[in-house]
Amino acid sequence: MLGFFKKKEDKEILGSPLKGKTMPSNKISDPTFGQEMLGKGMAIEPVEGKVYSPVDGSIAVVIDTKHAVSVLSDKGAEILIHVGLDTVTLKGKYFTTHVNTGDVVKKGDLLIEFDIDTLKAEGFEVVTPVIICNSDAYTDISRVTDGEVNVGDTIIELKK
């Protein structure tokens, strides 16, 4: 059978933006993320202070306090990566961004660096939600891994 009659599968794979341990979103103590108010997803407890792009796409927004970034994938997923809980109160202290709004990125590009040890020492939770803000555009959003992940490991599969 010729391949051009096959139905195209509307699926997207997200790589891990951090090295660490995965957790379901309902385990996040902040209700905005834990109750999926911004969308479905998961979280990662990082072991190092670097955030990488989970997909090929563009930077939709770099939050001015540098603790979060939104990536728009080439396939249409709106992905929010929010480093830590209540880290907005730091107003950018301990964070360095390596991208700007509008930049084109490839999966694995460095987006943000943060001083993980200082954040922990100052009492901040460094758990990092990875949220699909346009969750309604998908029929299924599945966590495909549980436990330890390295940067780029598949963590979420999206189906339209």
Side-chain angles (χ1 to χ4, degrees), residues 11-29:
K11 174 169 90 168
E12 183 166 5
I13 304 294
L14 273 64
S16 180
L18 302 131
K19 180 178 181 178
K21 183 173 172 44
T22 64
M23 62 191 305
S25 55
N26 65 2
K27 299 289 185 195
I28 305 169
S29 63

Side-chain angles (χ1 to χ4, degrees), residues 10 12 17 35 52 116 158 160:
D10 290 324
E12 183 166 5
Q35 296 175 16
Y52 299 88
I116 190 170
L158 307 172
K160 288 203 174 191

